[in-house]
Amino acid sequence: MLLLENITTLVTVAAPADPPSNSAIPIPHRAGSAMGELGVIRNGAIAVEGERIAWVGPTESANFPDAERIDCSGKTVLPGFVDSHTHIVFAGNRANEFAMRLRGATYQEIAEAGGGILSSMRSVRGSTVASLVAESLPRIRNAFRHGTTTLEAKSGYGLDTENELKLLHAIQQAAAQVPATIIPTFLGAHAIPPEHKASRQEYVRSIAEEMIPVVAEQGLAEFCDVFSDTGYFTVEESEQIYKAAAKHGMKLKVHADELSSFGGAEMAARVSAVSADHLLMISDAGIAQMREAGVVATLLPGTAFYLGLPFAPARKMIDEGMAVALATDCNPGSNMSENMQMTLALACMGMKMTVEEAITAATLNGAAAVRRSDQIGSIEVGKSADVAIFNVPDYPDIVYHYGVNQVEMVMKLGRVHRV
Ligand code: NIG
Ligand code: FE
């Protein structure tokens, strides 16, 4: 038994016992105004038995005389962040494109000139699984050091069967070497590869009929995602892919309404996706339909910041009762950052979310966005002992004093890592 005690501010983000009855999301989460409730315990304590949380309460009520103790006075403890949208496993680096954007080129212009996702595709096709793992591990460790205990990671830079499988194997092997939990997503539909420029329907067919069956059979991905946007996959193509994925038992995610108002949110509702992500250009109908269908709205303010685009309308979404999650989108083109603390700061300063809403979005609702909020995302008895310990006395300080790493220790499945 391990006891974290004298925690100056313990933020549990304890979920309502059952999902709110007026919400269509079938797993614990907080939607709308409930996102502002954090379940704070002052001078709190957490008892951990093995990999699980055994007890949570005020330090004065903790009665575990034989426990090993960690004094957390002066600290704030949060559930470990759940970064539910990343492209963190890739090869190479696109700093040259970043420099081009600073000189005025847009993300789309760079993509149309053969850069962007296709540039990372060339690097991945020239890599081995081992080199992909070696390049990605430092980034995954960086995420962990900044308080992320679970992260989702997408393929999508291989763009043919062999190289998509290579990326998914790299994700699987990297996951075995880090304390963080990694949830794999298949994103073969990230871009049309050059060899299919004149035969896009053939590429869509190969995703639906060749890649998805193999990925599902080998258990290499839990989710299937599609970049549904102008210049990428149409709504019709996306639905064809989702149909195949659902048939093979995969859960669905959508890159929706990032670069244009494309009907991505409406489609996410139609196909019963677990989450729709980005949503910078979401329509009013998209908000209503996602809420009714129980789709988590995952916002990635780092990407809007990095690309100089207008932020997603988070305020409107929360005020209209949606469940909003926050994630980094960590990738080599549109947001090269693993830092969830920075994501919180951007959510508050760029999207006018409150600190309470941002914390809920980065923990419990992030867990809902990967369908794991029955196991992770809040500090409650029976859940995984995944917590981040910050060297600040109160939770608003994490955003107030931004741009530096405030995490001092991370506990993953009951094991303490000093970072
Ligand atoms: O989420 N939108 C599509 N994919 C990524 C960008 C990937 C890249 O540029 O490498 C994103 O923004
Ligand atoms: Fe993305």
Side-chain angles (χ1 to χ4, degrees):
M1 178 80 83
L2 183 63
L3 186 68
L4 302 180
E5 61 178 357
N6 310 318
I7 303 167
T8 300
T9 306
L10 169 53
V11 179
T12 64
V13 201
D18 295 306
S21 55
N22 62 350
S23 170
I25 300 172
I27 194 158
H29 66 280
R30 286 183 178 275
S33 57
M35 286 180 64
E37 294 159 31
L38 285 182
V40 172
I41 303 175
R42 303 289 173 185
N43 194 23
I46 306 170
V48 174
E49 180 91 75
E51 298 185 344
R52 308 255 143 210
I53 296 168
W55 183 89
V56 183
T59 295
E60 73 233 28
S61 314
N63 185 17
F64 302 97
D66 301 328
E68 186 190 328
R69 279 146 208 278
I70 297 182
D71 177 48
C72 295
S73 44
K75 318 282 184 216
T76 295
V77 173
L78 256 57
F81 293 128
V82 180
D83 188 351
S84 62
H85 181 141
T86 87
H87 311 249
I88 203 166
V89 175
F90 60 85
N93 151 321
R94 288 169 28 210
N96 58 332
E97 295 181 4
F98 179 70
M100 283 162 74
R101 286 202 293 105
L102 296 183
R103 288 192 214 98
T106 66
Y107 181 77
Q108 280 107 315
E109 285 163 0
I110 292 169
E112 279 154 23
I117 293 167
L118 297 186
S119 148
S120 296
M121 176 206 75
R122 289 187 292 273
S123 305
V124 165
R125 288 184 176 182
S127 301
T128 61
V129 172
S131 68
L132 272 165
V133 171
E135 280 191 58
S136 303
L137 279 176
R139 289 189 286 269
I140 297 167
R141 295 198 171 110
N142 235 346
F144 188 74
R145 269 202 291 278
H146 286 81
T148 299
T149 47
T150 298
L151 59 118
E152 182 257 22
K154 304 178 196 290
S155 67
Y157 295 119
L159 307 182
D160 62 25
T161 305
E162 177 194 342
N163 288 288
E164 283 296 305
L165 290 175
K166 189 203 277 179
L167 264 172
L168 290 169
H169 282 121
I171 292 170
Q172 190 177 54
Q173 291 188 18
Q177 296 180 48
V178 291
T181 302
I182 303 185
I183 297 167
T185 292
F186 169 65
L187 178 60
H190 198 190
I192 302 279
E195 62 272 21
H196 282 300
K197 215 170 165 189
S199 56
R200 36 185 312 134
Q201 188 47 41
E202 171 54 22
Y203 186 59
V204 173
R205 191 204 59 78
S206 76
I207 294 174
E209 295 177 15
E210 289 162 23
M211 298 189 209
I212 286 174
V214 183
V215 169
E217 199 207 330
Q218 297 187 14
L220 286 170
E222 211 172 300
F223 287 89
C224 176
D225 196 345
V226 177
F227 189 7
S228 194
D229 219 313
T230 307
Y232 295 87
F233 293 85
T234 66
V235 167
E236 291 71 34
E237 291 165 344
S238 307
E239 291 200 50
Q240 191 181 337
I241 293 165
Y242 287 132
K243 214 168 139 196
K247 194 176 110 200
H248 284 88
M250 294 166 88
K251 296 181 282 262
L252 312 182
K253 287 184 169 285
V254 187
H255 273 72
D257 301 326
E258 175 183 0
L259 307 172
S260 60
S261 193
F262 200 65
E266 292 86 339
M267 176 182 64
R270 252 191 334 271
V271 302
S272 300
V274 172
S275 73
D277 304 29
H278 284 291
L279 306 172
L280 305 190
M281 311 285 198
I282 191 171
S283 67
D284 290 348
I287 292 181
Q289 289 171 28
M290 276 178 60
R291 189 190 50 223
E292 297 321 313
V295 183
V296 176
T298 300
L299 305 185
L300 314 162
T303 304
F305 171 70
Y306 206 73
L307 295 182
L309 298 174
F311 288 94
R315 260 299 19 104
K316 185 169 183 189
M317 293 166 134
I318 295 172
D319 294 345
E320 296 198 8
M322 292 183 99
V324 167
L326 283 171
T328 59
D329 196 22
C330 177
N331 76 76
S334 68
N335 191 33
M336 186 59 182
S337 172
E338 309 89 336
N339 184 349
M340 281 294 280
Q341 293 166 64
M342 189 68 194
T343 304
L344 296 193
L346 291 169
C348 294
M349 287 174 278
M351 304 198 295
K352 307 276 178 278
M353 285 172 69
T354 65
V355 176
E356 290 80 6
E357 289 166 345
I359 289 175
T360 301
T363 56
L364 184 67
N365 286 0
V370 288
R371 278 287 193 275
R372 290 276 205 295
S373 51
D374 52 342
Q375 294 294 319
I376 56 171
S378 61
I379 298 177
E380 292 180 86
V381 172
K383 279 195 160 179
S384 293
D386 289 5
V387 308
I389 299 150
F390 294 78
N391 192 18
V392 294
D394 206 352
Y395 66 81
D397 297 332
I398 297 167
V399 173
Y400 166 64
H401 186 169
Y402 80 103
V404 290
N405 189 10
Q406 303 283 11
V407 169
E408 185 177 282
M409 268 186 279
V410 180
M411 177 185 279
K412 176 66 193 181
L413 289 169
R415 283 198 47 195
V416 174
H417 304 257
R418 282 171 209 277
V419 300

